[in-house]
Amino acid sequence: MPVEFLGIAATNDGSETTARSGPAFDKDYTLRLARAHEDHGWDRVLFAYGSGSPDPAPAAAYVASRLDRLQLLLAHRPNVSYPTFAAKTFATLDRISEGRLTVHFITGGNDHEQGREGDTLTKDERYARTREYIRIVKKIWTTREPFDHEGEHYRFHDFVSDVFPVQQPRPNVSFGGSSPAAYAASGAEADIYCLWGEPLARTAEQIEHVKAAAEAAGRTDVPRIQVAFRPIIAPTEELAWEKAHRTVGAIRDRRASGLVRHHRGDAPENTGSQRLIAIAEAGERYDRALWTPTAAATGGAGNSNALVGTPETVAQALLDYYDLGVDILSARGYDLLDDAIDFGRYVIPLVREEVAKRDAERAARGTHTLAAVN
């Protein structure tokens, strides 16, 4: 099966290790980073969402209007707009990008962060709202006749959009999480299911949960699986591990100095972060190259487990996840621009070459098996 690579579409050069050097929305840097991804073999980039961050939708439109190939993954929280408005925004962006949009719906795993923009629902209520929201957006994208909606969270009458996506029947929907509610929602609605990087055995367990949820929802297909990592690569293993330890030191220094804003409270509320912390407490190294101190240093914040080693080691580690059924590999370094270029130059070609080889061997085995049967 084909493999895809997802990078990050940051609007400034700040990261967990480095303070940004300019404004929150730096037009030149935003385009430069996106172009580096397009020029170095990446398939798409994520426009992330934060309560106080620049709005990702116009940032995505800005990039789409200037680049020709790079695909867009737009993060969106259902609490920030009505689904009728959001569906038109997404369709317009798909038009601007000529069919390069995927939408990633974020339910929200932290009450304080959600409350910053007036969202006071409980976690279970948020998941119910997200499912209703996604269903409405999908219907707006695909319905040419006015319709009414009377739901638990949304009510409207006689609505029909005048703008429709380029992609038919609609753009893909992406979703993530590690709780039973997340599995249930994604099993019913997602085209792509997003996981944070965990050890292979735990990732395999989560994939089975997603498959079971899709089956329980009555689907005959299964969401594609995406897994996210923080690669730390260098020409030798020794240099890669030196770089990894410097990276953790920089993360700890920034958090200790209060330069990184984070949610109130010591323990994360979302299941995904709780899993990352538990994995880090159980050990620092897993499988071929997975390293957990980066996640521990951030308190399990988001995509934070690293893959450490030479490009060859990291490529092989990614292929281990591919063998589990993961076909979208998300990667984001700590020096956003330089790491995107290095990963594109030295890791992506290795993975693509090996995937093509395995696919060819699989096809050959299938041909031989068919010939034997006949």
Side-chain angles (χ1 to χ4, degrees):
M1 61 183 175
V3 64
E4 296 182 7
F5 287 90
L6 169 69
I8 190 70
T11 58
N12 60 72
D13 61 357
S15 75
E16 296 94 328
T17 62
T18 309
R20 73 177 189 236
S21 61
F25 181 59
D26 182 331
K27 284 179 59 178
D28 292 339
Y29 183 84
T30 298
L31 184 57
R32 186 181 177 194
L33 179 61
R35 182 171 283 123
H37 282 85
E38 182 171 86
D39 290 346
H40 291 88
W42 298 79
D43 296 286
R44 61 169 56 86
V45 288
L46 167 65
F47 292 81
Y49 190 92
S51 60
S53 302
D55 187 345
Y62 169 66
V63 167
S65 67
R66 286 159 176 79
L67 300 181
D68 298 324
R69 301 184 308 277
L70 193 65
Q71 298 177 56
L72 318 172
L73 178 58
L74 178 69
H76 180 76
R77 286 183 185 166
N79 63 292
V80 299
S81 69
Y82 216 70
T84 49
F85 176 84
K88 294 184 297 179
T89 300
F90 303 148
T92 303
L93 182 52
D94 199 54
R95 286 280 158 187
I96 292 171
S97 67
E98 298 182 333
R100 288 180 278 154
L101 177 69
T102 297
V103 182
H104 180 67
F105 289 92
I106 304 173
T107 297
N110 181 279
D111 290 343
H112 178 59
E113 168 67 6
Q114 296 300 120
R116 285 171 172 163
E117 294 187 284
D119 188 5
T120 59
L121 298 185
T122 67
K123 181 178 179 180
D124 287 343
E125 289 171 337
R126 291 198 297 264
Y127 273 107
R129 178 183 60 192
T130 299
R131 293 181 68 168
E132 183 179 347
Y133 196 100
I134 293 173
R135 288 195 295 268
I136 292 169
V137 168
K138 286 180 178 178
K139 188 169 183 178
I140 292 171
W141 280 342
T142 57
T143 300
R144 265 60 178 177
E145 298 296 329
F147 68 97
D148 300 339
H149 180 83
E150 294 282 344
E152 181 181 358
H153 297 279
Y154 303 103
R155 296 181 181 180
F156 55 86
H157 303 284
D158 198 41
F159 180 82
V160 64
S161 177
D162 194 35
V163 56
F164 293 92
V166 170
Q167 298 177 78
Q168 293 298 314
R170 58 172 176 79
N172 281 333
V173 166
S174 171
F175 197 87
S178 298
S179 67
Y183 297 139
S186 68
E189 302 296 342
D191 303 298
I192 299 169
Y193 194 76
C194 307
L195 299 169
W196 291 332
E198 296 187 3
L200 290 164
R202 286 175 174 260
T203 300
E205 291 172 359
Q206 292 210 76
I207 292 173
E208 290 307 311
H209 288 313
V210 173
K211 290 179 178 178
E215 183 178 358
R219 293 175 59 170
T220 56
D221 64 331
V222 176
R224 297 174 65 194
I225 303 297
Q226 172 185 305
V227 178
F229 303 96
R230 307 301 293 271
I232 301 174
I233 62 172
T236 68
E237 295 292 329
E238 181 180 7
L239 290 174
W241 285 105
E242 289 178 1
K243 182 178 178 181
H245 288 289
R246 286 198 307 271
T247 298
V248 167
I251 293 172
R252 290 172 178 159
D253 288 346
R254 276 181 59 75
R255 286 179 67 87
S257 64
L259 295 176
V260 179
R261 188 182 189 200
H262 51 83
H263 309 310
R264 293 177 183 169
D266 296 326
E269 298 171 14
N270 63 303
T271 304
S273 292
Q274 292 169 2
R275 288 174 65 97
L276 294 186
I277 290 174
I279 291 167
E281 289 174 346
E284 289 193 355
R285 296 181 65 170
Y286 292 85
D287 305 319
R288 194 186 300 268
L290 190 72
W291 196 54
T292 65
T294 47
T298 64
N303 169 24
S304 49
N305 268 340
L307 292 177
V308 182
T310 63
E312 292 77 13
T313 296
V314 171
Q316 288 299 319
L318 291 170
L319 287 162
D320 292 338
Y321 288 89
Y322 174 82
D323 289 339
L324 292 181
V326 176
D327 65 343
I328 303 176
L329 299 169
S330 174
R332 171 164 55 104
Y334 291 94
D335 183 329
L336 301 179
L337 181 60
D338 287 348
D339 286 348
I341 293 170
D342 286 347
F343 189 89
R345 283 176 174 168
Y346 304 118
V347 179
I348 289 178
L350 295 176
V351 176
R352 291 199 193 281
E353 180 181 0
E354 185 59 30
V355 166
K357 183 186 302 182
R358 294 181 186 189
D359 287 349
E361 292 172 351
R362 189 178 299 110
R365 288 196 298 270
T367 301
H368 293 155
T369 300
L370 182 61
V373 171
N374 292 336

